[in-house]
Amino acid sequence: MKNKKLYMIGNAHLDPVWLWQWQEGFQEAKATFRSALDRMKESDDFIFTSSSAAMYEWIENNDPAMFGEIRERVREGRWNIVGGWWIQPDCNVPGGESFVRQGLYGQRYFKEKFGVTAKVGYNVDSFGHNAMLPQILKKSGMDYYVMMRPMPNEKGLPGRLFWWESDDGSRVLTFRILFEYLSWGKDLEGHVRRTLGEFKEPLDDLMLFYGVGNHGGGPTKENIESIRRLNGEPDLPKLEFATPDRYFKDMESSGIAFPVVHDDLQHHASGCYAAHSGIKQWNRQAENRLIAAEKFSALASWITGQPYPLKEFDRAWKNVLFNQFHDILAGTSLEPAYQDAQYLFGESMAIADRSLNYAIQSLSWNVGIEQDESMRPIVVFNPHAWESRVNVELEVGGIKEKTVLLDDAGNPVPFQTVKSQAAARGRYRLSFMADLPSMGYRTYKLVKESESIKPVGEPIAASDLVLENRILRLEFDRATGFIKSLRDKRLNHEVFRGEAAKPVVIADASDTWSHDVLHFNDALDTFKATRVLRIEHGPVKSVIRVVSEYGNSKLVQDFAMYPDRDQIDVQVTVDWRERFKMLKLVFPVNVIFSTQTYEIPYGTIEREHNGEEEPGQSWVDCTGLVQESNRVYGLSLLNDAKYSYSIHNKELALTVLRSPIYAHHVPYEPDPHGEYAFIDQGIQRFSYSLLPHEGTWSQAGTVRRAAELNCKPVAVIETFHEGKLPQTDSYLSVDKDNVVVSVVKQAEDNEDLIVRCYETAKKATSAEIRLPKWNRVIRADFKPTEIKTFRVPKRAEEPVAETGMLEWDVE
């Protein structure tokens, strides 16, 4: 056996939050790092491997002397830094940009404090891994990846060591950990011997991870002594203290041809993508608010000189990244941890809101608006790099019978008042469709009373049961409240093959993770309608409200249709009082030969319609053929808060919530007479949209529509004043629909702009990104689903250059 080798990786898997709050994790990080340093003093050959920049920052701030010791051990090469991310996050729920920021803040921290960057990506306990990670890892300076879940009983892989490849061709050499990322006993003989059956030609070398974990601890004296003793056993492989970096380099130089895996790595703990609606929604909101705030803060800094709050954004993002830790964001921690998470998200969103407000009001205050006492100007900002036609709503006062709304050119714009958020006289909620320039703004004018200009626009046909515009006809069943028919009038095609928007209650006695559960299909009943009625009607939109009940729970869905839109927007309020149950909204799509596409971070993936619970981002699509006409047709389901879906035989379902016990982990059996805290009790609100479309989802603009739903325009009620800026303007645009500008921010090291883009349709594309105010044009060739980052120097004479995700060139 001595021709085989086990690279012994001393580590301490430390969950900063799980069955304990972060304060306990904080203390345990100090204790664990102290123990590792002490083991190094006792054993000159012992090597320690550790990840997660957030925990190093804790040590730096709370025990500078220990931090100095760690720096010295890193310099010696005996303290190995891996996983160049802020934390070990859930690897499905965070948005694409969050994964970039994990590397941006993690790697830059390690470089600044220790003079190194991690070469090994490291997520040993995360519950699944999205298929875009190889590209993001590679472009964040990491060539290798270590993971453990899904385990062999959950996903078959061609070997323990394989090339993991993204759609753009990026590859990272990836190792799936044997059995566990930790060791339980003091003596490692059993831990070592169970690996003997894992050696498979031609791979004679494997990594074995040891050290007390989960609540920290790390390698013990007995662990280290037993490694030395076991190395003398003739029937065991050679055991060597090592690092993942050395293992991967040795394997790359071995000449072995490793298999290639081009897929995401799922499934483990399928229920965690619907567990705790609050943490999921806060995450989505914080990501979108920060990204919008950065865009306008960066633009305002160049246009008006408004200071860019770099340090505040740094704090805000680090809060978000910490909350993306896999046991927090997955909803699998104990209940008080979510109060802690809410505080962190609250700080991040307050920073985002404050920074966004400074930026847009700096811009709007510089817009030249003529003096007119009878008019209230409203400046509406578009955070997206395409021309956007979207519904804008805001609270105003002073609307009268002869009030009209004009655009910047003086043309009347259809508007209506909808139910105000204030239960007070004199306040109104203004609703109108805004036509917004690409990443820019437009000024609208609310004229209080006009004798010469008449309001414009006609409402759609709408009753208590039917909404109909020139594109779609939507009908509800009064008895059930389900969608009875959604007909695309352009093709005379029924979008659904049965009742849709059906709230199905499903039995779910599984633990918080739903260990060993792949399907949730034990339907108990549906919510039943108590009221179906039209609540809004005007030239902008008409809305039908469906109120339904199940047990002690209540569901309100407000379906909005617009005169010229092929999209139906739905506002949902759930008051949930059930336990050990799940709620799904079900939509049976009426096509054959279907393809099911899910948005994943900065990309998409096609999956089988086998009914398995799947993670996804803000949209999922089912497209196939209309049987009668053989035309390509589909439905995109968009949402602003949810991450869990299932599709079974073209029956698309959005998982709204599930209500297990907080932090319930099998094999623990709850006491049937005990009192427990259950997840997702009470009121929650979110939105989803139905986008039926001829052709594919990419032709339908699904990516853009989902982005508009999740990151809405921002409106400022202004006053009249002189200003250097025009009443409408655009600061950035792209000439290809399938290339999305996701980020505009200030560089980390100077006042340059960082512009990040990604290709969405899985096709090679040449695109031009224009910043017209600065006569800048970025020309770039994108591989399928490629993410590119550019640096736009503030000095006009310096050229635009492509850069790495870390904002320095990655070798």
Side-chain angles (χ1 to χ4, degrees), residues 333-345:
S333 291
L334 76 173
E335 186 178 17
Y338 293 97
Q339 185 70 70
D340 296 336
Q342 194 168 20
Y343 294 154
L344 284 183
F345 274 132

Side-chain angles (χ1 to χ4, degrees), residues 134-343:
Q135 181 183 172
I136 294 171
L137 289 161
K138 195 80 174 176
K139 292 191 173 185
S140 299
M142 287 172 274
D143 299 320
Y144 314 108
Y145 195 53
V146 176
M147 44 74 69
M148 185 178 75
R149 311 182 197 280
M151 300 177 84
N153 62 305
E154 296 165 327
K155 183 176 181 67
L157 291 172
R160 287 286 176 184
L161 190 61
F162 56 92
W163 290 107
W164 188 23
E165 182 180 70
S166 289
D167 287 335
D168 72 313
S170 297
R171 290 182 176 182
V172 288
L173 191 59
T174 300
F175 182 82
R176 178 158 68 180
I177 289 174
L178 302 141
F179 303 109
E180 294 176 280
Y181 46 69
L182 49 72
S183 53
W184 295 102
K186 295 180 178 180
D187 187 281
L188 297 180
E189 182 166 359
H191 191 54
V192 169
R193 287 194 178 278
R194 64 180 176 174
T195 69
L196 299 182
E198 294 290 331
F199 290 93
K200 306 225 168 75
E201 297 290 344
L203 190 60
D204 288 330
D205 303 294
L206 296 170
M207 283 192 282
L208 184 61
F209 288 69
Y210 72 96
V212 180
N214 285 346
H215 197 264
T220 65
K221 294 179 184 179
E222 293 86 355
N223 289 165
I224 296 166
E225 290 168 1
S226 68
I227 289 171
R228 294 196 179 100
R229 178 180 62 79
L230 293 168
N231 216 5
E233 297 289 332
D235 62 336
L236 291 179
K238 182 180 179 182
L239 308 183
E240 194 169 290
F241 295 111
T243 67
D245 299 63
R246 182 179 158 199
Y247 174 77
F248 282 118
K249 287 176 182 175
D250 287 353
M251 294 307 98
E252 269 194 304
S253 62
S254 69
I256 298 172
F258 299 107
V260 177
V261 174
H262 190 113
D263 196 3
D264 60 1
L265 304 179
Q266 314 291 2
H267 296 87
H268 177 82
S270 295
C272 70
Y273 301 111
H276 204 292
S277 296
I279 195 75
K280 308 296 197 291
Q281 186 170 50
W282 306 330
N283 179 72
R284 184 84 61 86
Q285 289 171 342
E287 289 176 330
N288 281 289
R289 288 188 198 183
L290 279 169
I291 288 168
E294 285 180 333
K295 287 175 180 175
F296 285 111
S297 295
L299 293 171
S301 73
W302 275 26
I303 296 161
T304 69
Q306 175 68 33
Y308 186 89
L310 184 67
K311 288 186 177 179
E312 286 202 67
F313 283 141
D314 180 88
R315 182 71 271 147
W317 270 110
K318 286 176 179 176
N319 289 354
V320 171
L321 300 179
F322 184 84
N323 276 342
Q324 291 173 345
F325 179 70
H326 53 267
D327 278 313
I328 302 175
L329 193 53
T332 52
S333 291
L334 76 173
E335 186 178 17
Y338 293 97
Q339 185 70 70
D340 296 336
Q342 194 168 20
Y343 294 154

Side-chain angles (χ1 to χ4, degrees), residues 4 27 75 115 234 294 382 403 514 589 608:
K4 304 184 187 304
Q27 196 284 327
R75 277 194 292 270
E294 285 180 333
N382 176 18
T403 296
S514 299
V589 184
E608 301 86 350

Side-chain angles (χ1 to χ4, degrees), residues 403-424:
T403 296
V404 294
L405 183 67
L406 309 177
D407 66 14
D408 59 300
N411 302 310
V413 176
F415 77 97
Q416 72 189 72
T417 58
V418 296
K419 188 177 186 300
S420 172
Q421 294 175 341

